[in-house]
Amino acid sequence: AGFIKSPLSQKRLTQDSVELYCEAIGNPIPEIQWWFEGNEPNETYAQLWDGARQDRVKINATYNLHSTSTIYIANLTSDDSGMYECRASNDPDRNHLSKSPKVKWIRSQANVFVIERPDITTHVISESGKLILSCNMTTTNLGISGHEWMHGDKILHTDTDSSPLTSYIIEGKKEEHSGIYECVYKTSPVIKGQVNISVGPQVSAYKKSEHGNEGDTGVLICKSPSFPAVDSWVWYKNGQEVNAVRIINGSGRYIIKSSGNKTELRILKLSIEEDTGDYHCNATNSYGSGSAIVNLRVRSRLAALWPFLGIVAEVLVLVTIIFIYEKRRKPDEVLD
């Protein structure tokens, strides 16, 4: 027996992908093949193989106790519309060119419809302390039953309007709400548009003031949650003026680790004289640059002992006072 476990009819948009899954059971374990018949009148079934259609077709098969096979087609075009057939057989002569197999191929089919993706024009307008995001979809006969606006996995707004034009209002400045927003059209299949709010890096220090002990490793961190991501990070010592010192990764006792919207400066074997001061982290992307300041204070290793020594000194003074008082107390004084 053989069957396709995926839906028997699927709608997809151009540039999307589709995946079909087939299983076959038998003894001995049957072989699975994938075949395709297009929608053209004179088109007949043709076998598909891994790497077909300019390497857009990927076929994976496993033969363990029973047969399983998956066909994945990427970057769909309208020519990918048609009937996909999974064939399974365990007859020894199944692939013989002249002999007919005693056991016929068992077949299961799934129809895939690839629909031309409609264009979506997007806009971001900033006015009166508000951001107006809008999407407008070109004419489509898919039928719109509503919209959703999303930021990441969070649904910001939903409605049941059937208009091809949808908008969403954000209170605040662009710098506070940068990122990727999606307008989702409730159609079959679902159609999504992307609205980007792009700004220069909004840099902040993880801690504006850091403390470290002499001889230890100091760690200074800056981050920028804004969109788009930071292209490059640069660290400076004691300001960003002409006489500022740019810190080079791997030079001296400095190690810099930067990844996307976060940068980390490590200073090995901290020195009170050399390392105390202000450090500037500067971020740059295609929309501008931004920076933040981290003040580093280096303490002597003995600094932690001073509170303890102060307590010891207080105890010694108190004991000394009591001792002197006891020595000078008259013998005939009676304690209460």
Side-chain angles (χ1 to χ4, degrees):
F3 56 93
I4 291 181
K5 296 186 71 175
S6 307
L8 300 183
S9 180
Q10 297 194 34
K11 291 182 180 180
R12 291 290 188 272
L13 296 172
T14 52
Q15 303 170 21
D16 281 350
S17 62
V18 67
E19 186 175 67
L20 302 174
Y21 179 76
C22 182
E23 282 189 4
I25 301 171
N27 188 18
I29 298 174
E31 175 194 0
I32 292 179
Q33 294 180 359
W34 288 94
W35 292 70
F36 170 76
E37 182 183 46
N39 294 327
E40 295 297 326
N42 297 326
E43 194 166 354
T44 58
Y45 274 101
Q47 186 175 355
L48 295 172
W49 64 93
D50 188 53
R53 299 181 184 174
Q54 298 178 335
D55 205 31
R56 293 188 297 112
V57 175
K58 300 294 181 184
I59 298 177
N60 293 313
T62 59
Y63 299 96
N64 183 15
L65 299 181
H66 65 283
S67 307
T68 62
S69 182
T70 301
I71 184 170
Y72 174 84
I73 307 169
N75 197 21
L76 290 169
T77 68
S78 56
D79 293 336
D80 295 319
S81 293
M83 188 69 70
Y84 289 80
E85 189 172 87
C86 162
R87 298 181 181 181
S89 176
N90 58 5
D91 191 293
D93 298 327
R94 60 186 178 273
N95 292 317
H96 202 282
L97 297 178
S98 57
K99 292 183 180 180
S100 298
K102 297 175 184 178
V103 179
K104 293 183 178 180
W105 290 87
I106 298 172
R107 309 179 183 198
S108 185
Q109 297 176 331
N111 204 355
V112 176
F113 301 92
V114 182
I115 303 167
E116 194 69 30
R117 179 183 294 275
D119 293 328
I120 298 178
T121 56
T122 62
H123 295 283
V124 179
I125 300 174
S126 178
E127 60 178 26
S128 303
K130 296 180 181 179
L131 294 171
I132 304 174
L133 284 57
S134 64
C135 289
N136 192 10
M137 186 169 65
T138 55
T139 305
T140 176
N141 55 3
L142 294 176
I144 302 170
S145 61
H147 313 89
E148 283 183 350
W149 280 89
M150 301 187 67
H151 183 42
D153 296 330
K154 183 179 179 181
I155 299 176
L156 305 173
H157 170 77
T158 183
D159 62 48
T160 56
D161 190 2
S162 61
S163 170
L165 175 64
T166 178
S167 60
Y168 178 69
I169 298 176
I170 300 175
E171 300 284 346
K173 301 177 180 178
K174 291 179 65 175
E175 290 76 14
E176 300 170 351
H177 300 280
S178 66
I180 300 174
Y181 294 79
E182 283 186 326
C183 53
V184 182
Y185 288 85
K186 296 178 182 178
T187 56
S188 180
V190 170
I191 299 173
K192 297 181 179 181
Q194 183 172 297
V195 182
N196 295 340
I197 300 180
S198 305
V199 298
Q202 308 299 300
V203 183
S204 62
Y206 182 71
K207 288 183 181 179
K208 293 183 178 181
S209 181
E210 289 281 1
H211 299 81
N213 293 324
E214 190 176 22
D216 289 347
T217 299
V219 181
L220 312 181
I221 299 174
C222 288
K223 56 185 179 179
S224 171
S226 50
F227 177 86
V230 175
D231 295 326
S232 65
W233 287 97
V234 178
W235 283 89
Y236 294 92
K237 171 73 185 299
N238 293 331
Q240 293 175 276
E241 297 80 13
V242 177
N243 59 350
V245 178
R246 177 174 175 175
I247 299 173
I248 306 299
N249 185 27
S251 63
R253 296 174 289 111
Y254 299 116
I255 299 174
I256 299 175
K257 293 182 180 179
S258 300
S259 58
N261 284 344
K262 181 181 176 181
T263 183
E264 178 182 286
L265 170 64
R266 288 180 176 267
I267 307 173
L268 308 178
K269 297 180 181 180
L270 287 173
S271 168
I272 296 177
E273 294 80 12
E274 298 180 21
D275 299 325
T276 300
D278 290 334
Y279 292 79
H280 287 242
C281 51
N282 183 276
T284 304
N285 66 11
S286 55
Y287 286 84
S289 61
S291 65
I293 302 174
V294 185
N295 178 261
L296 176 62
R297 298 178 182 179
V298 183
R299 299 172 296 196
S300 170
R301 277 197 171 275
L302 299 177
L305 293 176
W306 293 123
F308 173 74
L309 294 176
I311 294 173
V312 172
E314 289 179 3
V315 172
L316 289 175
V317 171
L318 182 61
V319 170
T320 302
I321 292 173
I322 294 173
F323 179 77
I324 295 173
Y325 174 78
E326 289 293 331
K327 280 290 187 181
R328 293 185 176 183
R329 186 169 60 88
K330 295 179 181 181
D332 56 346
E333 289 183 0
V334 180
L335 293 175
D336 293 339

